[in-house]
Amino acid sequence: DAGVTQSPTHLIKTRGQQVTLRCSPKSGHDTVSWYQQALGQGPQFIFQYYEEEERQRGNFPDRFSGHQFPNYSSELNVNALLLGDSALYLCASSSGDGGEQYFGPGTRLTVT
Amino acid sequence: SQELEQSPQSLIVQEGKNLTINCTSSKTLYGLYWYKQKYGEGLIFLMMLQKGGEEKSHKKITAKLDEKKQQSSLHITASQPSHAGIYLCGADPYLFSGGYNKLIFGAGTRLAVHP
């Protein structure tokens, strides 16, 4: 049984560019949450998708947007990249009624 | 908003020693999670505690939730080099409000275990 998978593993972008990160949830999970983890910090909640809609959102600007597909996979899009967006982006999946949240290996985004 | 403070920030122990990591919340703790993270990698789920006084163990790791103190502790017995990594506590402040799994995390405790 595959766990949560994310792609790509690493990414280098230039300021002002746009980026798309992808996540496939663990089998049987229908909810996907995205987190941003800056170096030396704990993960910060960006938003959560359930039934193809954004269900919850953290304190992140509209430059951060997402999408969930009918197969429950999800994308995180970040527009107009800033240097401060450099971080490890983690995807987590769970079932819609709560319970354990499983994390993927993350995508390391570097903005230069 | 709820904040989690972990202590200590970092810890270096000799193999075989016991150790404790604490996670203190600024508000009532509901749905406290413990994760382990190897540097630059994803989070590995360790345990979830939901009730005050609850205690769970997995292999040599035990976690407790003290609701009155708004605190959780993670205890490792007879530490091994494989225990090294970053330990993160996460809380779900909306667990009973229909907002599942919007986790707030502490900054982490960095553990090194020397042979």
Side-chain angles (χ1 to χ4, degrees):
Chain A
D1 172 29
V4 181
T5 59
Q6 292 186 242
S7 63
T9 307
H10 295 89
L11 206 50
I12 300 175
K13 290 285 187 178
T14 304
R15 272 183 303 176
Q17 285 188 318
Q18 177 262 345
V19 69
T20 297
L21 311 181
R22 296 176 177 80
C23 170
S24 291
K26 180 179 168 63
S27 177
H29 285 176
D30 56 9
T31 302
V32 173
S33 301
W34 286 92
Y35 292 81
Q36 179 195 66
Q37 186 178 24
L39 202 60
Q41 301 295 319
Q44 282 198 301
F45 178 82
I46 303 174
F47 43 54
Q48 182 181 91
Y49 277 84
Y50 172 69
E51 292 188 341
E52 301 180 49
E53 290 192 359
E54 183 182 292
R55 180 162 74 168
Q56 299 186 77
R57 190 176 183 92
N59 293 326
F60 279 81
D62 292 344
R63 298 187 297 109
F64 289 77
S65 63
H67 188 77
Q68 186 177 36
F69 299 94
N71 67 353
Y72 307 122
S73 67
S74 175
E75 288 182 348
L76 163 66
N77 300 294
V78 186
N79 293 323
L81 285 167
L82 304 173
L83 295 178
D85 295 331
S86 295
L88 180 68
Y89 287 84
L90 296 162
C91 166
S93 74
S94 57
S95 62
D97 57 355
E100 298 170 10
Q101 192 164 178
Y102 290 84
F103 282 77
T107 293
R108 171 72 63 186
L109 172 64
T110 302
V111 182
T112 61
Chain B
S1 62
Q2 185 170 22
E3 293 183 356
L4 297 179
E5 185 174 333
Q6 288 188 236
S7 61
Q9 289 183 337
S10 63
L11 196 53
I12 303 173
V13 299
Q14 204 71 30
E15 183 177 0
K17 296 294 185 184
N18 302 335
L19 63 105
T20 299
I21 298 168
N22 292 307
C23 174
T24 302
S25 173
S26 60
K27 295 187 177 182
T28 303
L29 273 172
Y30 301 114
L32 194 284
Y33 298 75
W34 283 101
Y35 288 89
K36 178 186 174 185
Q37 182 179 33
K38 292 193 174 180
Y39 295 97
E41 298 183 7
L43 278 61
I44 300 168
F45 174 81
L46 295 176
M47 274 169 276
M48 176 185 176
L49 305 168
Q50 280 189 278
K51 302 174 185 176
E54 187 172 14
E55 179 176 322
K56 288 187 177 178
S57 294
H58 178 65
K59 296 182 180 179
K60 295 185 178 180
I61 301 176
T62 300
K64 299 178 186 179
L65 179 61
D66 187 331
E67 216 169 46
K68 287 183 181 178
K69 290 185 180 179
Q70 297 179 176
Q71 185 178 73
S72 177
S73 60
L74 186 83
H75 184 79
I76 298 177
T77 303
S79 58
Q80 302 170 347
S82 61
H83 287 127
I86 302 169
Y87 288 83
L88 291 154
C89 64
D92 186 349
Y94 305 100
L95 181 61
F96 299 116
S97 304
Y100 299 112
N101 285 330
K102 180 181 176 180
L103 298 186
I104 296 169
F105 284 91
T109 294
R110 285 143 188 82
L111 172 64
V113 180
H114 289 175

